[in-house]
Amino acid sequence: MQYCPTLTDTDCRLASRLESFVPEEIFDIHVHPFNPRHFGPDAWKWLREPIERQLGCAEHRAEVSRYMPSRRIHGLYFGMPHATADRDAINEEVAREVKTHGSSLSRALALVSPQDSVDAIASLLNGGSFCGLKVYHVYSGRLDTMNASIEEFAPEWMWKLLDERGGILMLHIVRADAMEDECNQTSLRRLCRKYPRCRLVLAHVARSFNYRHARRGLGALVDLDNVVVDTSAVTECESIRAALEILGPRRVLFGSDFAVDAAKGRCISTGERFFWLHPDSLPEVSRPAAETAMTLVGIESLLCLQEACEDMGLNRADVNDIFLNNALRLLRGHLPEAAVPEVESGPGLWKRAREVISCGTGLMSKRAEQFGAHHWPSYFSRCSGCEVWGLDGSRYLDFAGGIGAVLLGYADPNVTAAVRRRLSLGSYCTLLNPEEVQLAEELLALHPWAGKIRYSRGGGDAMAVAVRTARAATGKSGVAFCGYHGWHDWYLAANLGDGTMLDGHLLPGLEPRGVPRELTGTSVPFRYNDLASLRAALDKLEGNLAAVVMEPMRSQLPQDDFLQKAAAACRKRGAVFVVDEITSGLRYGFPGALSRFGVDPDLAVYAKAMSNGFPFGVVVGRDDIMTAADPSFISSSYWTDGVGPAAALAVLRKVQKTQAAEEIWKRGTALQEALLQISAEVPVCQWTVGGMPASPTMRFDLGAETSLAQALYVRLMRERGILASGVCYLMLAHREEHRERYLEATREVLGMIGKAIETGRLAEESKGCGCGRSGFARLA
């Protein structure tokens, strides 16, 4: 390789493609000043021969500006490591350079070795010139340094020093498999958890010069909040894209690897290894052509970053984070507070939302007031598995479970892959998506009693379709129902004559404003497991009964063959038996909860878990009923969008393969037993555990103080990094360690609430928590 002081036409042409991509202000997180006097005669010949001078902060800005012109450039500077390096001289010069020629926001790291004195390094960090340390494998003290463990060149005392100061550690991991190496993963996970205030930068996308190491290894870093990666000298788009996808754009930082960036060439993956392709690696006859055709490592790396951002669909804010804001946030505590970009808080954005969006958001169960608007994070920046990241980067373990809509886990890779394929091929056009037919055939195979299906893009809409279908097929309009079934007129009509009719089914006092009063008497509720209540509702609708609508179960199991008797009573009167599996489908059984009881409905409605977070709903029905309703106009453009069916197909196949419903039910049974034990330990809380194993319910029974205790519970769990509410929706992504963390936090929090109750301080302790409303009662 050779340092190239001038740009070729190829370099200029390629650099021009970056003009609209690179922001006006950047922070280069990976910069090596260079002075040939600090190294042995054979070190860094490819730099020494063409320059024979010092490369400092000014030279860095000038050189990077060749392919990123007119940018304001800051940097994190540290010496180039080499076995012959005079580290003391290098550190002195780097500190002097940054102070005299660096930008106001530029900072420095000290180049150190495990053989250095702990006191000496502590003194360096205390001196104010360095905000952290740069380590390197050549100082590991072993001959085969490329096989060094992390502790061999970044010993624990360094981590401890940095943890005490909130310092930065720049680490170039080694070993053949880089981030995929189990030794590296074990070391990083142990050290980062033990020293959480040490902020770790894994150089070169955790040394992912072979992109396969990034794809298979970066997942080990997801739950380590003090780890970021830089893009320095990485010239494979796949590596950067893997980092953006697995870690998110808030944990990827631009780095040039100056002065390596000024050499021509690129790194190429091959098998499980990589090699550097540059003019000197080619036969002599090819070198002149290669000099012209190849571009600088820095340009090549930026093009890969640009392509990865485009592939991921990142926006301008994401790109600004990568080039500037992430570095400023990383260096918080080492920069003027005014220089660190503020992130709008969830409560602040919720306050804005309340001003411009009716009710703040479209789903009542997600309104911040349900959890305490002054503290609830409200908005997420990304989610994966069973974890959610707030706008400020805070990571939460989520047991609120997306209000039951996600069964497998957030951003499930199989579902995401299916949706990504559909999006890349187009999701909507004049013609139909063939996956509609594939999904329908698979759904009908799972429901041998059914003959047709009809799609929608949400549970409430699907329920409205089912009720319209029943009314069209019977020619009648009356609906007897129990449980919660959405927001549509047919349901809220129950409250037109008596505002308390839905009290046992939804929110007490819910007003049916906007529902035509002409629908009075068309919907009558009954109570679950109460046959007399069902018969009374049927009698009230005698002669006008179109359907009986109910969930198979919600918070209690059917007793005394209630489902069979309800179906028989419905059919005896010539009505359609509609089962709402929106919450229970796939969660309480496969394909739905009815599979547990041997009852076949006339119509079954699915949504929520069926598509794992993507908009989708479906009505599965008997052929004669569905066909009889065909003349009714039931139609919507986006019911033919391809994303929902693609997600649902992927979900069905994965749920079958993993036996997710059975597994989650088993895990939930164990969780419920543990929660009941915790409740028994703190009887003063009157904390009742109920519901189904796949979605246990927890509530305080403290009379007027119930909402205070609930609000305090939500806040204290959030302070421990857990999103919790009155319902725990389990996902396949919840593993044993997640369950244990949730139970440990719950035990601690209930103990605190119990003490507050005993000392009469509950009102004081819960002050400022918000109302703590539990949302829908959703009793079945």
Side-chain angles (χ1 to χ4, degrees):
M1 299 179 74
Q2 192 80 0
Y3 181 87
C4 300
T6 59
L7 299 185
T8 65
D9 290 343
T10 298
D11 298 329
C12 294
R13 187 167 58 254
L14 292 171
S16 68
R17 300 179 185 177
L18 301 167
E19 274 297 310
S20 61
F21 171 64
V22 179
E24 291 302 312
E25 184 175 10
I26 66 173
F27 199 113
D28 187 343
I29 203 69
H30 196 118
V31 188
H32 300 284
F34 177 74
N35 189 328
R37 296 192 308 255
H38 296 153
F39 302 91
D42 294 325
W44 306 118
K45 285 187 175 182
W46 61 276
L47 272 174
R48 182 190 305 272
E49 292 174 358
I51 60 175
E52 287 294 339
R53 59 184 171 85
Q54 174 184 333
L55 296 177
C57 297
E59 288 77 17
H60 161 245
R61 291 193 296 272
E63 192 263 287
V64 171
S65 293
R66 294 185 301 161
Y67 52 86
M68 294 190 290
S70 304
R71 265 64 176 187
R72 286 179 290 156
I73 301 171
H74 316 289
L76 182 63
Y77 295 88
F78 45 92
M80 292 192 74
H82 194 273
T84 67
D86 182 343
R87 291 194 308 279
D88 289 340
I90 287 175
N91 289 334
E92 288 178 13
E93 186 163 281
V94 168
R96 185 169 54 251
E97 267 293 309
V98 171
K99 183 177 182 179
T100 58
H101 299 296
S103 72
S104 60
L105 300 182
S106 293
R107 293 296 182 267
L109 303 179
L111 180 63
V112 298
S113 159
Q115 289 75 44
D116 291 335
S117 158
V118 177
D119 291 339
I121 301 307
S123 179
L124 272 180
L125 293 172
N126 293 337
S129 296
F130 299 100
C131 64
L133 305 177
K134 164 63 179 177
V135 296
Y136 205 61
H137 64 91
V138 296
Y139 303 126
S140 63
R142 61 188 292 168
L143 292 177
D144 57 335
T145 67
M146 291 299 294
N147 288 316
S149 68
I150 289 170
E151 290 88 344
E152 287 181 281
F153 58 99
E156 196 154 340
W157 62 261
M158 293 184 185
W159 295 77
K160 186 174 184 296
L161 286 177
L162 295 172
D163 185 69
E164 292 168 351
R165 296 160 174 79
I168 313 299
L169 178 63
M170 177 66 68
L171 181 62
H172 175 125
I173 59 174
V174 287
R175 301 176 69 86
D177 294 329
M179 198 56 240
E180 201 177 349
D181 179 86
E182 289 186 9
C183 176
N184 282 338
Q185 291 184 7
T186 299
S187 295
L188 287 173
R189 293 185 64 78
R190 181 183 71 83
L191 291 163
C192 288
R193 284 176 168 171
K194 187 173 181 180
Y195 302 105
R197 294 189 68 250
C198 172
R199 301 177 184 182
L200 179 65
V201 182
L202 288 175
H204 320 299
V205 188
R207 193 171 162 266
S208 298
F209 295 119
N210 183 304
Y211 71 85
R212 296 185 176 100
H213 296 154
R215 287 168 60 95
R216 295 196 293 257
L218 290 178
L221 305 175
V222 170
D223 60 344
L224 303 178
D225 300 323
N226 52 337
V227 182
V228 297
V229 299
D230 75 35
T231 64
S232 58
V234 173
T235 56
E236 296 215 308
C237 176
E238 295 92 336
S239 295
I240 300 174
R241 187 167 62 236
L244 293 171
E245 184 170 354
I246 296 169
L247 300 177
R250 288 285 293 273
R251 292 175 65 181
V252 177
L253 286 68
F254 163 73
S256 70
D257 205 3
F258 172 83
V260 175
D261 69 319
K264 286 187 178 292
R266 67 169 298 166
C267 197
I268 297 175
S269 295
T270 176
E272 295 183 336
R273 300 294 176 260
F274 61 86
F275 70 91
W276 279 94
L277 177 65
H278 52 85
D280 290 344
S281 67
L282 299 175
E284 193 167 333
V285 66
S286 304
R287 290 180 188 174
E291 290 281 2
T292 303
M294 289 185 185
T295 191
L296 303 183
V297 170
I299 295 176
E300 194 76 64
S301 182
L302 274 172
L303 289 170
C304 289
L305 175 57
Q306 181 182 36
E307 291 156 5
C309 290
E310 291 171 351
D311 291 347
M312 290 292 295
L314 300 190
N315 59 26
R316 176 50 54 181
D318 296 324
V319 173
N320 287 338
D321 279 344
I322 292 167
F323 276 96
L324 178 65
N325 295 332
N326 292 343
L328 299 179
R329 285 188 281 261
L330 176 77
L331 294 167
R332 181 189 295 273
H334 304 280
L335 296 174
E337 190 60 34
V340 180
E342 290 187 9
V343 176
E344 183 160 31
S345 69
L349 190 56
W350 175 252
K351 185 177 180 181
R352 283 175 50 199
R354 273 294 196 180
E355 297 173 355
V356 295
I357 301 173
S358 293
C359 301
T361 188
L363 181 62
M364 180 181 289
S365 297
K366 285 190 178 182
R367 293 178 190 172
E369 287 80 8
Q370 304 284 354
F371 311 97
H374 298 301
H375 303 284
W376 190 248
S378 288
Y379 297 90
F380 71 98
S381 59
R382 65 185 294 258
C383 56
S384 177
C386 57
E387 296 181 310
V388 174
W389 284 259
L391 296 181
D392 63 354
S394 298
R395 179 171 54 90
Y396 300 96
L397 175 58
D398 188 357
F399 270 87
I403 322 300
V406 176
L407 183 76
L408 299 175
Y410 303 131
D412 177 81
N414 300 89
V415 181
T416 299
V419 170
R420 182 180 289 127
R421 174 189 176 274
R422 183 70 270 156
L423 290 173
S424 67
L425 297 175
S427 65
Y428 185 91
C429 69
T430 302
L431 304 182
L432 293 169
N433 163 33
E435 287 173 319
E436 285 190 6
V437 182
Q438 297 172 36
L439 176 58
E441 291 171 343
E442 293 198 18
L443 286 169
L444 292 176
L446 293 171
H447 299 82
W449 51 268
K452 291 286 191 303
I453 66 96
R454 191 186 286 270
Y455 296 122
S456 74
R457 287 301 176 268
D461 287 351
M463 280 306 306
V465 169
V467 170
R468 170 79 74 82
T469 299
R471 285 171 167 171
T474 62
K476 299 176 181 179
S477 60
V479 178
F481 70 88
C482 129
Y484 168 67
H485 303 288
W487 65 276
H488 286 265
D489 288 355
W490 75 266
Y491 181 63
L492 293 185
N495 263 8
L496 285 171
D498 181 351
T500 65
M501 293 289 282
L502 290 177
D503 280 4
H505 302 265
L506 194 61
L507 288 176
L510 191 70
E511 295 187 20
R513 294 188 183 183
V515 178
R517 304 208 67 81
E518 291 80 359
L519 294 178
T520 301
T522 58
S523 292
V524 179
F526 62 91
R527 291 182 298 277
Y528 192 77
N529 273 339
D530 187 336
L531 197 58
S533 171
L534 169 62
R535 288 170 178 161
L538 298 181
D539 289 344
K540 193 169 185 178
L541 292 166
E542 184 65 37
N544 190 37
L545 180 65
V548 171
V549 177
M550 64 182 299
E551 293 177 296
M553 57 191 188
R554 168 77 74 159
S555 59
Q556 54 185 304
L557 291 167
Q559 303 295 320
D560 192 27
D561 296 326
F562 183 69
L563 290 176
Q564 290 87 341
K565 292 175 180 178
C570 171
R571 288 169 176 148
K572 182 179 180 180
R573 304 194 186 211
V576 177
F577 186 51
V578 182
V579 174
D580 177 348
E581 293 265 20
I582 291 171
T583 291
S584 56
L586 302 186
R587 181 171 289 280
Y588 295 170
F590 184 82
L594 276 187
S595 63
R596 294 178 173 272
F597 307 111
V599 179
D600 291 339
D602 299 315
L603 301 177
V605 182
Y606 294 92
K608 286 189 181 291
M610 180 65 71
S611 52
N612 208 62
F614 289 95
F616 178 77
V618 63
V619 180
V620 181
R622 294 187 186 278
D623 206 331
D624 56 335
I625 295 172
M626 299 289 278
T627 302
D630 282 351
S632 180
F633 182 66
I634 305 173
S635 177
S636 179
S637 296
Y638 282 128
W639 288 354
T640 65
D641 170 69
V643 169
L649 267 173
V651 168
L652 276 181
R653 292 166 182 174
K654 185 162 185 175
V655 168
Q656 285 178 289
K657 183 178 180 180
T658 61
Q659 296 186 309
E662 294 88 343
E663 178 62 25
I664 288 173
W665 192 271
K666 181 176 70 174
R667 295 181 193 178
T669 299
L671 179 66
Q672 269 189 322
E673 292 173 356
L675 290 171
L676 284 166
Q677 175 60 40
I678 293 173
S679 175
E681 294 169 5
V682 197
V684 69
C685 287
Q686 293 293 300
W687 200 56
T688 304
V689 179
M692 295 297 118
S695 56
T697 61
M698 298 81 65
R699 67 181 302 273
F700 296 90
D701 189 10
L702 297 169
E705 292 189 321
T706 292
S707 62
L708 299 179
Q710 176 65 19
L712 184 57
Y713 171 77
V714 170
R715 192 198 78 193
L716 292 174
M717 291 294 281
R718 178 190 55 78
E719 289 175 354
R720 285 153 180 78
I722 298 175
L723 300 183
S725 66
V727 185
C728 173
Y729 286 108
L730 286 175
M731 299 182 281
L732 195 63
H734 285 125
R735 299 188 299 273
E736 181 67 19
E737 61 265 32
H738 300 131
R739 187 187 77 130
E740 290 305 312
R741 181 180 163 196
Y742 173 72
L743 290 173
E744 180 182 356
T746 297
R747 178 173 278 107
E748 180 182 358
V749 165
L750 282 187
M752 296 173 67
I753 294 174
K755 288 180 180 178
I757 294 171
E758 290 172 340
T759 58
R761 294 172 55 85
L762 182 59
E764 182 180 346
E765 294 289 340
S766 63
K767 189 175 181 180
C769 292
C771 65
R773 291 194 300 251
S774 60
F776 292 116
R778 294 183 174 182
L779 301 175

